[in-house]
Amino acid sequence: MIAAPTDQIRGIYHRRIGDIVVTAISDGFVNGSYAMLRDIDEQNAERLLTEAFVPAPPRISVNCFVIHSAGRVGLIDTGCGVSMGDQLGKLPENLSHCGIDSAAIDTVMLTHMHPDHSNGLTAPDGTAHFANAELVVSETDVKHWHDDSAMSIASPRHQDRFFKGAREQIVPYLNRRRDSRGEVFPGVTALPLPGHTPGHTGYMIQSGGEQLLVWGDIFHIPDIQVPHPEVHVEPDSDHRQAVETRRRAFDMAATDRLLVAGMHMHFPGFLHITGNAAKGYRLHKEAWVQAF
Ligand SMILES: [Zn+2]
């Protein structure tokens, strides 16, 4: 009698970009709701998800990306921390499973400050999870989340989750942080993609003639927002700008035939986009590749 396996493969996936190794690490997933979507009705949203063979209501992956470059280790986004539910906060155990010591990470780059990206910076007792890391984050985001007048006109949910959360998460890094501009890590250049938050930032990774754009939250529900880029989500700071930036990012990815990685793309999160505004856009999940 041979026992069947009971453990799934870990949420760890390596992708080589020239001399740089990018490792997608799953922080888990969250079961979303139709209520987070704007400019689409529930019926249509459900139909698009069902037609794409993905869970309906949407299941949203949360991905982070480790970068080994020039003998250094960096991390893009930190996941939810351990406080957001059973299926989230898996980054620390997946990092250690892949032999990466959080103390060895010298740079943490954030796409933006929202709980599913920046909660993992800091433990509930206020200590830094990344003891030796410098934080690269858009000053525009830092200023926005510390702006009392912006906070006063935000919804109570945004005040609590986004404004207060960002202020708490950044405390241990306040004196060791850098604006996300230009080359922020060997082979990694910041690219402003504002809208979802005012300082939302992508990171272009380039080595040996190869490129990967880690584009953060250009979409949250890929199977809906690629065919319908006008669909936006409740957490967007400026939904008009978010839609505009999404279209611009899709056009850039399609025109340049870019490899893209998304924080909320189905794990491991690598994809291509084809098409244009007139014909519509299409999502292509990247096939499994042998990294080494
Ligand atoms: Zn997000």
Side-chain angles (χ1 to χ4, degrees):
M1 175 84 177
I2 297 170
T6 56
D7 274 348
Q8 182 54 287
I9 294 168
R10 288 269 166 179
I12 296 167
Y13 178 85
H14 304 292
R15 177 73 168 81
R16 191 178 270 281
I17 305 295
D19 294 328
I20 297 176
V21 175
V22 177
T23 303
I25 306 240
S26 174
D27 190 55
F29 64 85
V30 60
N31 288 315
S33 72
Y34 297 117
M36 73 178 286
L37 296 168
R38 298 287 181 272
D39 277 7
I40 188 167
D41 62 41
E42 186 170 326
Q43 243 177 350
N44 257 329
E46 185 176 37
R47 181 183 52 80
L48 286 164
L49 295 172
T50 307
E51 283 175 4
F53 301 98
V54 294
R59 172 169 291 179
I60 305 171
S61 278
V62 178
N63 308 321
C64 308
F65 297 90
V66 171
I67 302 170
H68 281 85
S69 177
R72 292 172 52 186
V73 193
L75 172 67
I76 307 182
D77 286 355
T78 65
C80 295
V82 287
S83 54
M84 287 183 68
D86 278 3
Q87 306 301 339
L88 290 166
K90 308 288 185 202
L91 176 80
E93 71 183 68
N94 280 335
L95 272 182
S96 65
H97 196 83
C98 111
I100 297 167
D101 180 357
S102 61
I105 293 172
D106 70 50
T107 307
V108 172
M109 291 152 268
L110 292 182
T111 58
H112 61 299
M113 297 203 76
H114 264 173
D116 52 320
H117 303 259
S118 50
N119 256 13
L121 281 174
T122 303
D125 69 1
T127 54
H129 272 144
F130 303 95
N132 301 312
E134 183 182 37
L135 182 64
V136 171
V137 58
S138 164
E139 270 307 297
T140 310
D141 252 30
V142 176
K143 278 205 188 89
H144 175 68
W145 300 126
H146 284 86
D147 180 344
D148 288 334
S149 62
M151 182 164 160
S152 70
I153 56 167
S155 69
R157 197 183 98 88
H158 283 208
Q159 290 187 4
D160 188 54
R161 280 174 60 83
F162 298 168
F163 285 85
K164 288 186 191 154
R167 291 177 192 200
E168 283 164 18
Q169 292 143 20
I170 205 168
V171 168
Y173 302 87
L174 277 174
N175 298 321
R176 43 180 168 119
R177 74 175 207 271
R178 203 159 26 110
D179 195 7
S180 53
R181 280 165 186 266
E183 189 173 23
V184 293
F185 193 72
V188 181
T189 307
L191 178 73
L193 297 169
H196 178 52
T197 67
H200 183 268
T201 302
Y203 293 96
M204 182 71 88
I205 301 171
Q206 289 175 291
S207 173
E210 294 185 71
Q211 282 187 317
L212 165 69
L213 173 62
V214 179
W215 72 10
D217 285 14
I218 284 296
F219 56 53
H220 294 78
I221 320 287
D223 304 293
I224 293 176
Q225 290 174 296
V226 172
H228 292 281
E230 73 281 6
V231 174
H232 51 102
V233 293
E234 187 273 340
D236 286 336
S237 288
D238 178 338
H239 70 83
R240 279 188 193 85
Q241 193 182 31
V243 168
E244 214 171 275
T245 297
R246 178 160 42 255
R247 292 183 188 280
R248 188 162 52 83
F250 286 179
D251 284 337
M252 182 172 86
T255 305
D256 298 346
R257 296 184 63 79
L258 269 181
L259 178 65
V260 173
M263 275 47 196
H264 299 307
M265 177 63 188
H266 311 296
F267 187 80
F270 296 94
L271 68 129
H272 289 276
I273 296 283
T274 54
N276 56 48
K279 281 197 322 204
Y281 299 99
R282 265 189 73 194
L283 172 73
H284 309 265
K285 296 170 194 170
E286 193 192 30
W288 186 87
V289 289
Q290 181 83 46
F292 306 108

